[in-house]
Amino acid sequence: MGSLFAQTKQQQPKNDEENQILKVSPFTEVSSSPSRWQDIERLAFSPADYSDQKVTRPWQTNAVLIIKDDQILYEKYAHGFSKETPHRLWSVTKSLAAALMGLRLKELGLDLDTPALKISPLLSTGLKKKITLRHLLQMSSGLQWNEFYEGNPFSSHVVDMLYIENYQDMGALTASRPMAHHPGQYFNYSSGETNLLMKILRETFEKQEDYDAYPWKKLFEPLGIDSATWEQDGSGVFVGSSYGFMNARDLARFGRLMLKNGLWEKKLKAEKEENPNANQVESFLEILPQEFVRQSFQLAPSTCQTHKKGRPNRQTYGLHWWLNRECPNKKVRLYPDLPQSLRMALGHHGQMLVLFPKENALVVRFGADKKARFNANAWLKLVYQELIK
Amino acid sequence: MKRAPLFILSLILLSGCKVPFFKVVSNSFVKEMCSCLFVVGQDENYCKAYARQILPVSSYTIDQQTKKVLADGLGHSGSASYISNELGCRLEDIEFPKR
Protein backbone atom coordinates (compact mmCIF):
# COMPACT_ATOMS: atom_id res chain seq x y z
CA MET A 1 0.00 0.00 0.00
CA GLY A 2 2.91 2.30 0.73
CA SER A 3 3.96 2.18 -2.92
CA LEU A 4 0.81 4.05 -3.92
CA PHE A 5 2.11 7.09 -2.17
CA ALA A 6 5.84 6.56 -2.37
CA GLN A 7 5.99 8.55 -5.56
CA THR A 8 3.92 11.40 -4.15
CA LYS A 9 6.29 14.02 -2.92
CA GLN A 10 4.96 16.01 -0.02
CA GLN A 11 4.18 19.43 -1.38
CA GLN A 12 5.96 22.08 0.58
CA PRO A 13 5.10 25.74 0.39
CA LYS A 14 7.72 27.58 -1.56
CA ASN A 15 10.17 29.27 0.72
CA ASP A 16 9.23 32.73 -0.43
CA GLU A 17 5.55 31.97 0.18
CA GLU A 18 6.20 30.43 3.56
CA ASN A 19 8.11 33.49 4.65
CA GLN A 20 5.24 35.71 3.71
CA ILE A 21 2.62 33.97 5.79
CA LEU A 22 1.27 36.06 8.59
CA LYS A 23 2.58 34.59 11.82
CA VAL A 24 2.15 37.45 14.24
CA SER A 25 -1.17 37.51 16.01
CA PRO A 26 -4.03 38.42 13.71
CA PHE A 27 -6.00 39.57 16.74
CA THR A 28 -5.98 42.94 18.40
CA GLU A 29 -6.93 43.65 21.99
CA VAL A 30 -9.59 46.27 22.45
CA SER A 31 -10.97 47.79 25.61
CA SER A 32 -14.51 46.76 26.26
CA SER A 33 -16.84 47.74 29.04
CA PRO A 34 -16.63 45.08 31.81
CA SER A 35 -20.34 45.47 32.53
CA ARG A 36 -21.09 44.22 29.04
CA TRP A 37 -19.59 40.83 29.91
CA GLN A 38 -20.78 40.61 33.51
CA ASP A 39 -23.45 37.94 33.04
CA ILE A 40 -21.31 35.93 30.64
CA GLU A 41 -18.42 35.94 33.09
CA ARG A 42 -20.61 35.05 36.05
CA LEU A 43 -22.21 32.08 34.37
CA ALA A 44 -18.84 30.76 33.21
CA PHE A 45 -16.62 31.48 36.19
CA SER A 46 -18.93 31.59 39.24
CA PRO A 47 -20.82 28.32 39.09
CA ALA A 48 -21.57 28.44 42.80
CA ASP A 49 -24.04 31.24 42.09
CA TYR A 50 -26.10 28.85 40.00
CA SER A 51 -25.62 25.48 41.67
CA ASP A 52 -28.58 23.83 43.24
CA GLN A 53 -28.21 21.37 46.09
CA LYS A 54 -27.90 18.41 43.77
CA VAL A 55 -24.68 19.71 42.27
CA THR A 56 -21.81 18.64 44.48
CA ARG A 57 -19.02 19.62 42.10
CA PRO A 58 -20.13 22.22 39.60
CA TRP A 59 -18.56 23.05 36.29
CA GLN A 60 -15.12 24.65 36.10
CA THR A 61 -14.21 27.19 33.46
CA ASN A 62 -10.47 27.60 32.88
CA ALA A 63 -10.52 29.99 29.91
CA VAL A 64 -12.88 32.10 27.83
CA LEU A 65 -11.88 34.03 24.71
CA ILE A 66 -14.41 35.94 22.60
CA ILE A 67 -13.30 37.43 19.28
CA LYS A 68 -15.25 39.36 16.66
CA ASP A 69 -13.79 40.91 13.51
CA ASP A 70 -10.35 39.90 14.81
CA GLN A 71 -10.82 42.00 17.93
CA ILE A 72 -10.48 40.33 21.30
CA LEU A 73 -13.62 41.52 23.05
CA TYR A 74 -13.30 39.40 26.17
CA GLU A 75 -10.60 37.13 27.60
CA LYS A 76 -10.29 35.58 31.02
CA TYR A 77 -8.38 32.69 32.59
CA ALA A 78 -8.72 30.90 35.93
CA HIS A 79 -7.56 27.91 38.00
CA GLY A 80 -3.89 28.36 37.17
CA PHE A 81 -4.36 28.76 33.42
CA SER A 82 -3.16 31.74 31.40
CA LYS A 83 -3.15 32.85 27.80
CA GLU A 84 0.14 30.97 27.35
CA THR A 85 -1.00 27.68 28.94
CA PRO A 86 -1.77 24.86 26.55
CA HIS A 87 -5.09 23.28 27.48
CA ARG A 88 -6.49 19.85 26.74
CA LEU A 89 -8.73 19.97 23.71
CA TRP A 90 -10.21 16.48 24.11
CA SER A 91 -12.61 16.01 21.17
CA VAL A 92 -12.00 19.49 19.79
CA THR A 93 -8.89 17.71 18.47
CA LYS A 94 -11.17 15.87 16.01
CA SER A 95 -11.66 19.02 13.94
CA LEU A 96 -7.88 19.45 13.69
CA ALA A 97 -7.59 15.81 12.65
CA ALA A 98 -10.12 16.39 9.88
CA ALA A 99 -8.11 19.38 8.66
CA LEU A 100 -5.05 17.14 8.32
CA MET A 101 -7.05 14.69 6.23
CA GLY A 102 -8.29 17.52 4.02
CA LEU A 103 -4.75 18.71 3.46
CA ARG A 104 -3.37 15.27 2.71
CA LEU A 105 -6.17 14.24 0.36
CA LYS A 106 -5.55 17.29 -1.79
CA GLU A 107 -1.82 16.55 -1.86
CA LEU A 108 -2.52 13.01 -2.97
CA GLY A 109 -5.16 14.00 -5.50
CA LEU A 110 -7.82 11.93 -3.72
CA ASP A 111 -11.38 12.96 -2.97
CA LEU A 112 -13.56 12.37 0.05
CA ASP A 113 -15.41 9.51 -1.60
CA THR A 114 -12.25 7.44 -1.89
CA PRO A 115 -12.73 4.06 -0.18
CA ALA A 116 -10.47 3.80 2.86
CA LEU A 117 -9.35 0.46 1.43
CA LYS A 118 -7.55 2.29 -1.35
CA ILE A 119 -5.12 3.63 1.24
CA SER A 120 -5.18 1.07 4.02
CA PRO A 121 -5.77 -2.71 4.10
CA LEU A 122 -7.55 -2.36 7.45
CA LEU A 123 -11.06 -2.26 6.00
CA SER A 124 -10.87 -5.08 3.48
CA THR A 125 -13.73 -7.43 4.33
CA GLY A 126 -17.42 -7.45 3.42
CA LEU A 127 -19.27 -4.17 3.81
CA LYS A 128 -16.17 -2.53 5.26
CA LYS A 129 -14.77 -2.30 1.74
CA LYS A 130 -17.43 0.31 1.01
CA ILE A 131 -16.43 2.66 3.82
CA THR A 132 -15.11 5.92 2.39
CA LEU A 133 -13.10 8.69 4.00
CA ARG A 134 -16.24 10.85 3.91
CA HIS A 135 -18.15 8.19 5.88
CA LEU A 136 -15.43 8.19 8.54
CA LEU A 137 -15.31 11.99 8.69
CA GLN A 138 -19.11 12.02 9.06
CA MET A 139 -19.02 9.41 11.85
CA SER A 140 -21.18 7.24 9.67
CA SER A 141 -18.99 4.26 8.74
CA GLY A 142 -21.46 1.75 10.17
CA LEU A 143 -18.78 0.25 12.44
CA GLN A 144 -20.30 -0.67 15.80
CA TRP A 145 -18.96 1.51 18.63
CA ASN A 146 -19.99 2.55 22.16
CA GLU A 147 -18.93 6.10 22.94
CA PHE A 148 -19.29 6.45 26.71
CA TYR A 149 -17.02 8.03 29.28
CA GLU A 150 -17.12 8.09 33.06
CA GLY A 151 -20.88 7.64 33.12
CA ASN A 152 -20.79 4.09 31.82
CA PRO A 153 -17.18 3.00 31.41
CA PHE A 154 -17.79 -0.74 31.49
CA SER A 155 -19.01 -1.12 27.93
CA SER A 156 -17.16 1.87 26.54
CA HIS A 157 -14.94 1.35 23.54
CA VAL A 158 -13.39 4.78 24.15
CA VAL A 159 -12.21 3.87 27.63
CA ASP A 160 -10.98 0.52 26.33
CA MET A 161 -9.17 2.24 23.45
CA LEU A 162 -7.51 4.97 25.50
CA TYR A 163 -6.65 3.14 28.69
CA ILE A 164 -7.26 -0.60 28.84
CA GLU A 165 -6.40 -2.97 26.00
CA ASN A 166 -5.97 -1.00 22.81
CA TYR A 167 -3.90 2.09 23.56
CA GLN A 168 -1.01 0.68 21.55
CA ASP A 169 -2.99 0.68 18.30
CA MET A 170 -6.27 2.56 18.47
CA GLY A 171 -7.07 2.49 14.76
CA ALA A 172 -6.81 -1.28 14.63
CA LEU A 173 -9.44 -1.62 17.37
CA THR A 174 -11.89 0.51 15.39
CA ALA A 175 -11.27 -1.35 12.14
CA SER A 176 -11.89 -4.67 13.88
CA ARG A 177 -15.36 -3.70 15.09
CA PRO A 178 -18.25 -5.44 13.33
CA MET A 179 -20.50 -3.58 10.93
CA ALA A 180 -23.78 -2.53 12.52
CA HIS A 181 -25.13 -0.43 9.63
CA HIS A 182 -24.58 0.13 5.96
CA PRO A 183 -21.85 2.78 5.44
CA GLY A 184 -23.17 6.33 5.25
CA GLN A 185 -26.62 5.63 6.66
CA TYR A 186 -26.30 5.83 10.43
CA PHE A 187 -24.63 8.57 12.50
CA ASN A 188 -22.77 7.18 15.48
CA TYR A 189 -20.24 9.54 17.04
CA SER A 190 -17.10 7.47 17.45
CA SER A 191 -13.66 8.49 18.68
CA GLY A 192 -12.49 5.28 17.08
CA GLU A 193 -13.30 6.58 13.60
CA THR A 194 -11.03 9.60 14.09
CA ASN A 195 -8.17 7.42 15.25
CA LEU A 196 -8.73 5.09 12.32
CA LEU A 197 -8.45 8.13 10.05
CA MET A 198 -5.19 9.08 11.74
CA LYS A 199 -3.90 5.54 11.13
CA ILE A 200 -4.94 5.77 7.50
CA LEU A 201 -3.14 9.12 7.31
CA ARG A 202 -0.02 7.44 8.74
CA GLU A 203 -0.11 4.92 5.91
CA THR A 204 0.23 7.70 3.36
CA PHE A 205 3.70 8.50 4.70
CA GLU A 206 6.73 6.31 4.30
CA LYS A 207 8.68 7.85 7.14
CA GLN A 208 7.41 8.24 10.68
CA GLU A 209 9.29 11.53 11.02
CA ASP A 210 7.42 13.05 8.07
CA TYR A 211 4.10 12.01 9.62
CA ASP A 212 5.13 13.33 13.04
CA ALA A 213 6.02 16.72 11.56
CA TYR A 214 2.99 17.00 9.29
CA PRO A 215 0.55 18.89 11.60
CA TRP A 216 3.25 21.44 12.41
CA LYS A 217 4.49 21.92 8.86
CA LYS A 218 1.11 22.16 7.24
CA LEU A 219 -1.17 23.62 9.86
CA PHE A 220 0.38 24.94 13.05
CA GLU A 221 3.46 26.75 11.76
CA PRO A 222 1.70 28.49 8.87
CA LEU A 223 -0.86 29.83 11.36
CA GLY A 224 1.74 30.84 13.93
CA ILE A 225 0.45 28.28 16.43
CA ASP A 226 3.33 27.56 18.78
CA SER A 227 1.73 26.02 21.87
CA ALA A 228 0.53 22.76 20.28
CA THR A 229 1.16 19.26 21.55
CA TRP A 230 -0.44 16.25 19.88
CA GLU A 231 0.02 12.92 21.61
CA GLN A 232 0.22 9.58 19.81
CA ASP A 233 -0.76 6.01 20.57
CA GLY A 234 1.78 3.24 21.07
CA SER A 235 2.11 2.69 17.32
CA GLY A 236 3.03 6.31 16.62
CA VAL A 237 -0.36 7.40 15.34
CA PHE A 238 -1.83 10.74 16.43
CA VAL A 239 -4.71 10.34 18.87
CA GLY A 240 -6.89 12.54 16.72
CA SER A 241 -9.94 11.81 18.84
CA SER A 242 -8.72 13.29 22.09
CA TYR A 243 -5.10 14.22 22.70
CA GLY A 244 -4.49 17.66 21.23
CA PHE A 245 -3.34 20.55 23.43
CA MET A 246 -2.93 24.25 22.76
CA ASN A 247 -3.72 27.59 24.32
CA ALA A 248 -6.94 29.49 23.69
CA ARG A 249 -5.41 32.08 21.38
CA ASP A 250 -3.83 29.40 19.23
CA LEU A 251 -7.10 27.50 18.98
CA ALA A 252 -8.71 30.79 17.98
CA ARG A 253 -6.23 31.00 15.08
CA PHE A 254 -7.50 27.65 13.82
CA GLY A 255 -11.08 28.85 14.27
CA ARG A 256 -10.24 31.98 12.31
CA LEU A 257 -8.82 29.85 9.48
CA MET A 258 -12.13 27.98 9.28
CA LEU A 259 -14.09 31.26 9.36
CA LYS A 260 -11.96 32.44 6.46
CA ASN A 261 -12.62 29.30 4.42
CA GLY A 262 -9.05 28.05 4.75
CA LEU A 263 -7.38 31.27 3.67
CA TRP A 264 -4.82 33.29 5.62
CA GLU A 265 -3.43 36.70 4.83
CA LYS A 266 0.15 37.25 3.84
CA LYS A 267 1.87 39.46 6.36
CA LEU A 268 -1.15 41.66 6.95
CA LYS A 269 0.11 42.87 10.29
CA ALA A 270 3.60 43.67 9.11
CA GLU A 271 2.22 45.57 6.17
CA LYS A 272 0.01 47.57 8.46
CA GLU A 273 2.87 48.39 10.78
CA GLU A 274 5.02 49.57 7.92
CA ASN A 275 2.23 51.40 6.19
CA PRO A 276 -0.78 52.31 8.29
CA ASN A 277 -2.75 53.10 5.17
CA ALA A 278 -2.39 49.56 3.86
CA ASN A 279 -5.89 48.45 4.74
CA GLN A 280 -6.39 46.32 1.68
CA VAL A 281 -5.01 42.82 1.75
CA GLU A 282 -3.62 41.99 -1.62
CA SER A 283 -3.27 38.29 -1.37
CA PHE A 284 -4.17 35.24 0.63
CA LEU A 285 -2.59 31.85 0.94
CA GLU A 286 -4.73 28.75 0.93
CA ILE A 287 -3.67 26.94 4.10
CA LEU A 288 -6.60 24.50 4.00
CA PRO A 289 -8.29 23.55 0.72
CA GLN A 290 -11.31 25.87 0.42
CA GLU A 291 -13.49 23.14 -0.99
CA PHE A 292 -12.68 20.91 1.97
CA VAL A 293 -13.64 23.70 4.40
CA ARG A 294 -16.91 24.17 2.54
CA GLN A 295 -17.66 20.46 2.73
CA SER A 296 -16.71 20.37 6.42
CA PHE A 297 -19.84 22.36 7.22
CA GLN A 298 -22.24 20.51 4.93
CA LEU A 299 -24.86 18.54 6.82
CA ALA A 300 -24.12 14.80 6.81
CA PRO A 301 -27.32 13.13 5.50
CA SER A 302 -26.90 10.30 7.99
CA THR A 303 -27.48 12.63 10.92
CA CYS A 304 -31.02 13.38 9.76
CA GLN A 305 -31.75 9.72 9.01
CA THR A 306 -30.60 8.50 12.41
CA HIS A 307 -33.05 7.80 15.20
CA LYS A 308 -31.69 6.97 18.63
CA LYS A 309 -33.92 4.83 20.82
CA GLY A 310 -36.84 5.63 18.57
CA ARG A 311 -36.38 9.39 18.88
CA PRO A 312 -34.95 11.60 16.15
CA ASN A 313 -31.41 12.64 16.81
CA ARG A 314 -30.97 16.33 17.69
CA GLN A 315 -27.33 16.24 16.69
CA THR A 316 -26.21 17.41 13.27
CA TYR A 317 -22.71 16.97 11.98
CA GLY A 318 -20.47 17.87 9.06
CA LEU A 319 -16.94 16.53 8.61
CA HIS A 320 -15.80 16.32 12.23
CA TRP A 321 -17.60 19.59 12.96
CA TRP A 322 -20.83 19.85 14.95
CA LEU A 323 -23.59 21.88 13.34
CA ASN A 324 -26.73 23.41 14.82
CA ARG A 325 -28.96 22.60 11.88
CA GLU A 326 -32.57 21.52 11.82
CA CYS A 327 -33.24 18.48 9.69
CA PRO A 328 -36.09 18.79 7.17
CA ASN A 329 -38.11 16.20 9.05
CA LYS A 330 -37.85 17.76 12.51
CA LYS A 331 -37.80 21.20 14.03
CA VAL A 332 -35.30 20.64 16.81
CA ARG A 333 -31.67 21.53 17.09
CA LEU A 334 -28.81 20.95 19.50
CA TYR A 335 -28.76 24.51 20.87
CA PRO A 336 -32.29 25.83 20.34
CA ASP A 337 -31.46 29.40 21.36
CA LEU A 338 -28.66 29.74 18.83
CA PRO A 339 -28.71 30.18 15.06
CA GLN A 340 -28.48 27.32 12.61
CA SER A 341 -25.32 28.86 11.16
CA LEU A 342 -23.28 27.82 14.23
CA ARG A 343 -20.25 25.56 13.71
CA MET A 344 -18.72 23.85 16.68
CA ALA A 345 -15.79 21.77 17.79
CA LEU A 346 -16.87 20.30 21.13
CA GLY A 347 -14.89 18.26 23.63
CA HIS A 348 -15.11 16.30 26.85
CA HIS A 349 -15.30 18.31 30.10
CA GLY A 350 -16.74 21.33 28.27
CA GLN A 351 -14.06 22.26 25.73
CA MET A 352 -15.45 24.28 22.83
CA LEU A 353 -14.50 26.27 19.79
CA VAL A 354 -17.66 27.88 18.43
CA LEU A 355 -17.78 29.74 15.13
CA PHE A 356 -20.41 32.37 14.34
CA PRO A 357 -19.80 32.78 10.60
CA LYS A 358 -22.48 35.40 10.01
CA GLU A 359 -21.08 37.55 12.79
CA ASN A 360 -17.42 36.84 11.84
CA ALA A 361 -16.92 35.84 15.46
CA LEU A 362 -15.61 32.92 17.45
CA VAL A 363 -15.58 31.74 21.05
CA VAL A 364 -13.15 29.47 22.86
CA ARG A 365 -14.14 28.02 26.20
CA PHE A 366 -11.91 25.60 28.12
CA GLY A 367 -13.19 23.75 31.14
CA ALA A 368 -12.81 20.85 33.50
CA ASP A 369 -16.48 20.01 34.01
CA LYS A 370 -15.95 16.68 35.64
CA LYS A 371 -19.36 16.44 37.30
CA ALA A 372 -22.00 18.98 36.47
CA ARG A 373 -22.66 19.93 32.90
CA PHE A 374 -22.04 23.46 31.79
CA ASN A 375 -25.16 24.79 30.12
CA ALA A 376 -23.64 25.67 26.75
CA ASN A 377 -26.97 26.68 25.21
CA ALA A 378 -27.70 29.23 27.95
CA TRP A 379 -24.17 30.60 28.01
CA LEU A 380 -23.68 30.81 24.25
CA LYS A 381 -27.06 32.54 24.00
CA LEU A 382 -25.74 35.34 26.24
CA VAL A 383 -22.59 35.55 24.13
CA TYR A 384 -24.58 35.60 20.91
CA GLN A 385 -26.78 38.41 22.16
CA GLU A 386 -23.65 40.50 22.74
CA LEU A 387 -22.16 39.60 19.38
CA ILE A 388 -25.19 40.79 17.44
CA LYS A 389 -25.57 44.09 19.31
CA MET B 1 -26.20 7.38 44.26
CA LYS B 2 -27.16 5.19 47.24
CA ARG B 3 -25.65 2.21 45.48
CA ALA B 4 -22.29 3.89 44.91
CA PRO B 5 -20.59 2.76 48.17
CA LEU B 6 -21.69 -0.83 47.55
CA PHE B 7 -20.42 -0.64 44.01
CA ILE B 8 -17.06 0.73 45.14
CA LEU B 9 -16.80 -1.89 47.88
CA SER B 10 -17.44 -4.61 45.30
CA LEU B 11 -14.65 -3.27 43.14
CA ILE B 12 -12.24 -3.19 46.06
CA LEU B 13 -13.12 -6.76 47.03
CA LEU B 14 -12.61 -7.84 43.48
CA SER B 15 -9.33 -6.03 43.17
CA GLY B 16 -7.35 -9.13 44.05
CA CYS B 17 -8.39 -10.53 40.68
CA LYS B 18 -6.70 -9.40 37.49
CA VAL B 19 -9.67 -7.95 35.67
CA PRO B 20 -8.52 -6.14 32.52
CA PHE B 21 -11.11 -3.39 32.95
CA PHE B 22 -9.54 -2.44 36.28
CA LYS B 23 -6.45 -1.25 34.42
CA VAL B 24 -8.48 1.87 33.71
CA VAL B 25 -7.81 3.18 37.21
CA SER B 26 -3.99 3.15 37.07
CA ASN B 27 -3.64 3.70 33.31
CA SER B 28 -5.95 6.69 33.05
CA PHE B 29 -4.35 8.19 36.13
CA VAL B 30 -0.75 7.93 34.89
CA LYS B 31 -1.59 9.11 31.38
CA GLU B 32 -3.63 12.13 32.44
CA MET B 33 -1.29 12.94 35.33
CA CYS B 34 1.70 12.90 32.97
CA SER B 35 -0.02 15.19 30.45
CA CYS B 36 -1.30 17.49 33.17
CA LEU B 37 2.15 17.92 34.73
CA PHE B 38 4.45 17.91 31.73
CA VAL B 39 2.29 19.19 28.85
CA VAL B 40 -0.14 21.54 30.55
CA GLY B 41 2.32 22.44 33.31
CA GLN B 42 -0.12 22.42 36.20
CA ASP B 43 0.94 21.62 39.77
CA GLU B 44 0.72 18.20 41.37
CA ASN B 45 -2.29 18.94 43.54
CA TYR B 46 -4.38 20.16 40.63
CA CYS B 47 -3.26 17.25 38.47
CA LYS B 48 -3.93 14.66 41.15
CA ALA B 49 -7.54 15.78 41.40
CA TYR B 50 -7.89 16.08 37.64
CA ALA B 51 -6.38 12.70 36.77
CA ARG B 52 -8.54 10.73 39.17
CA GLN B 53 -11.13 8.78 37.21
CA ILE B 54 -13.88 6.69 38.82
CA LEU B 55 -11.67 5.57 41.74
CA PRO B 56 -8.41 6.85 43.25
CA VAL B 57 -5.12 4.98 42.75
CA SER B 58 -3.65 3.36 45.84
CA SER B 59 -0.21 4.90 45.26
CA TYR B 60 1.75 6.82 42.66
CA THR B 61 5.23 8.17 42.02
CA ILE B 62 6.43 11.00 39.79
CA ASP B 63 9.97 11.01 38.43
CA GLN B 64 10.55 14.65 37.58
CA GLN B 65 13.90 13.92 35.93
CA THR B 66 12.75 11.29 33.46
CA LYS B 67 9.23 12.77 33.36
CA LYS B 68 7.58 9.47 34.12
CA VAL B 69 4.49 8.71 36.23
CA LEU B 70 3.85 5.30 37.83
CA ALA B 71 0.74 4.26 39.75
CA ASP B 72 -0.93 1.23 41.30
CA GLY B 73 -4.64 0.65 41.62
CA LEU B 74 -7.08 -2.26 41.73
CA GLY B 75 -4.38 -4.86 41.21
CA HIS B 76 -2.77 -3.20 38.20
CA SER B 77 0.15 -0.87 37.63
CA GLY B 78 0.40 1.84 35.03
CA SER B 79 3.24 3.84 33.56
CA ALA B 80 3.29 6.89 31.27
CA SER B 81 6.28 8.87 30.02
CA TYR B 82 6.77 12.28 28.49
CA ILE B 83 8.20 11.96 24.97
CA SER B 84 8.68 15.52 23.72
CA ASN B 85 7.14 18.95 23.56
CA GLU B 86 5.32 18.04 20.34
CA LEU B 87 4.28 14.48 21.18
CA GLY B 88 3.53 14.90 24.88
CA CYS B 89 2.96 11.79 27.00
CA ARG B 90 2.32 8.18 26.12
CA LEU B 91 0.94 5.27 28.07
CA GLU B 92 3.41 2.40 28.27
CA ASP B 93 2.56 -1.26 28.01
CA ILE B 94 4.36 -2.32 31.13
CA GLU B 95 2.98 -4.21 34.08
CA PHE B 96 5.02 -3.76 37.23
CA PRO B 97 4.83 -6.25 40.09
CA LYS B 98 2.39 -4.99 42.68
CA ARG B 99 4.33 -3.33 45.45
Side-chain angles (χ1 to χ4, degrees):
Chain A
M1 285 293 166
S3 60
L4 176 64
F5 304 102
Q7 55 195 334
T8 311
K9 295 270 184 200
Q10 192 176 314
Q11 289 174 9
Q12 300 289 347
K14 290 174 191 167
N15 279 342
D16 57 333
E17 274 196 353
E18 196 171 51
N19 292 336
Q20 287 177 51
I21 297 171
L22 171 68
K23 292 189 180 177
V24 291
S25 175
F27 306 123
T28 50
E29 294 178 46
V30 292
S31 57
S32 185
S33 163
S35 61
R36 184 180 170 190
W37 307 102
Q38 205 169 21
D39 292 343
I40 290 162
E41 180 169 305
R42 187 164 162 241
L43 184 50
F45 289 99
S46 304
D49 293 356
Y50 300 86
S51 303
D52 61 26
Q53 290 179 342
K54 290 177 186 170
V55 179
T56 51
R57 276 187 69 183
W59 61 89
Q60 175 182 311
T61 301
N62 294 333
V64 170
L65 176 60
I66 302 173
I67 294 173
K68 183 178 180 184
D69 296 329
D70 287 339
Q71 295 187 322
I72 297 175
L73 301 180
Y74 178 84
E75 185 175 30
K76 185 178 167 69
Y77 299 89
H79 302 287
F81 289 84
S82 73
K83 67 181 182 206
E84 282 83 28
T85 321
H87 199 281
R88 283 163 199 278
L89 302 181
W90 285 115
S91 290
V92 170
T93 313
K94 290 182 169 77
S95 304
L96 293 164
L100 291 190
M101 288 307 293
L103 280 163
R104 192 62 176 154
L105 289 181
K106 183 161 188 192
E107 286 175 0
L108 299 174
L110 297 173
D111 67 32
L112 285 164
D113 297 311
T114 303
L117 179 60
K118 189 168 179 188
I119 303 174
S120 165
L122 281 164
L123 299 169
S124 58
T125 56
L127 261 185
K128 292 183 186 179
K129 291 180 197 167
K130 295 189 173 178
I131 297 174
T132 65
L133 301 171
R134 188 193 300 276
H135 294 147
L136 290 166
L137 285 164
Q138 291 179 336
M139 300 290 187
S140 304
S141 70
L143 291 162
Q144 198 276 328
W145 186 267
N146 295 335
E147 183 87 9
F148 304 123
Y149 292 87
E150 289 97 327
N152 184 5
F154 291 100
S155 60
S156 165
H157 291 119
V158 188
V159 173
D160 184 31
M161 175 178 72
L162 295 178
Y163 303 121
I164 302 175
E165 299 280 22
N166 292 283
Y167 51 84
Q168 294 292 10
D169 190 346
M170 300 184 185
L173 166 69
T174 315
S176 73
R177 298 297 306 150
M179 291 297 284
H181 302 275
H182 199 277
Q185 293 188 353
Y186 189 84
F187 173 75
N188 186 33
Y189 182 81
S190 160
S191 288
E193 298 201 6
T194 314
N195 293 333
L196 177 54
L197 281 166
M198 292 295 93
K199 191 173 171 70
I200 291 168
L201 180 70
R202 171 66 188 89
E203 293 185 18
T204 69
F205 291 87
E206 282 196 302
K207 292 181 185 168
Q208 180 72 35
E209 63 200 63
D210 290 340
Y211 173 77
D212 290 350
Y214 193 67
W216 278 265
K217 273 191 174 168
K218 290 294 181 167
L219 198 57
F220 301 154
E221 287 170 11
L223 299 183
I225 290 173
D226 61 10
S227 67
T229 293
W230 200 334
E231 296 173 335
Q232 297 180 338
D233 71 7
S235 66
V237 168
F238 289 111
V239 183
S241 65
S242 319
Y243 286 165
F245 299 74
M246 66 178 66
N247 64 41
R249 286 194 179 199
D250 277 351
L251 185 61
R253 287 176 185 242
F254 175 62
R256 182 182 188 270
L257 178 72
M258 299 305 287
L259 278 175
K260 292 189 170 294
N261 300 315
L263 301 178
W264 204 254
E265 300 91 335
K266 289 182 183 177
K267 285 203 170 173
L268 168 63
K269 208 80 172 184
E271 281 173 13
K272 272 189 173 175
E273 279 164 13
E274 285 164 19
N275 176 9
N277 298 321
N279 290 324
Q280 296 298 316
V281 178
E282 287 182 8
S283 56
F284 291 87
L285 284 178
E286 189 185 76
I287 307 288
L288 256 185
Q290 292 180 72
E291 176 58 18
F292 182 78
V293 176
R294 195 186 67 78
Q295 299 231 17
S296 295
F297 302 129
Q298 298 292 307
L299 179 62
S302 57
T303 54
C304 288
Q305 294 166 15
T306 300
H307 291 246
K308 304 268 181 188
K309 292 178 185 167
R311 285 179 296 124
N313 175 24
R314 278 194 314 152
Q315 300 166 328
T316 49
Y317 207 62
L319 302 179
H320 274 43
W321 277 90
W322 290 102
L323 306 175
N324 199 40
R325 294 276 299 277
E326 284 178 5
C327 292
N329 55 343
K330 59 194 178 187
K331 295 290 173 197
V332 290
R333 53 187 192 253
L334 187 62
Y335 296 142
D337 294 326
L338 289 148
Q340 292 199 55
S341 56
L342 223 62
R343 293 150 182 187
M344 299 163 285
L346 303 174
H348 193 45
H349 291 161
Q351 319 316 319
M352 58 177 78
L353 165 63
V354 181
L355 310 182
F356 298 81
K358 289 187 175 169
E359 291 72 29
N360 191 31
L362 65 89
V363 174
V364 175
R365 188 255 179 183
F366 290 149
D369 308 337
K370 291 190 78 175
K371 292 279 180 184
R373 226 182 132 176
F374 181 62
N375 187 337
N377 179 60
W379 186 71
L380 287 170
K381 180 184 174 186
L382 293 176
V383 173
Y384 179 61
Q385 285 167 345
E386 281 304 319
L387 291 175
I388 57 174
K389 269 183 186 170
Chain B
M1 288 303 287
K2 286 178 182 172
R3 292 181 183 171
L6 187 64
F7 168 71
I8 292 167
L9 182 65
S10 308
L11 286 182
I12 293 166
L13 289 173
L14 284 165
S15 66
C17 315
K18 285 270 183 186
V19 181
F21 175 77
F22 289 170
K23 278 187 192 168
V24 70
V25 172
S26 53
N27 276 358
S28 67
F29 182 87
V30 293
K31 163 63 189 65
E32 302 316 336
M33 185 76 167
C34 180
S35 300
C36 185
L37 289 170
F38 303 122
V39 178
V40 178
Q42 280 279 14
D43 64 44
E44 185 179 336
N45 277 340
Y46 179 93
C47 293
K48 186 180 170 185
Y50 184 81
R52 176 187 156 153
Q53 305 284 331
I54 310 170
L55 287 172
V57 292
S58 48
S59 65
Y60 71 92
T61 56
I62 299 164
D63 187 330
Q64 292 283 356
Q65 284 212 315
T66 58
K67 296 189 173 179
K68 184 189 273 282
V69 180
L70 303 170
D72 292 327
L74 288 185
H76 290 274
S77 301
S79 170
S81 287
Y82 179 80
I83 311 282
S84 68
N85 193 33
E86 288 77 19
L87 302 180
C89 289
R90 198 174 293 179
L91 198 52
E92 294 164 324
D93 203 7
I94 301 167
E95 276 279 11
F96 291 89
K98 196 172 188 314
R99 286 191 286 269

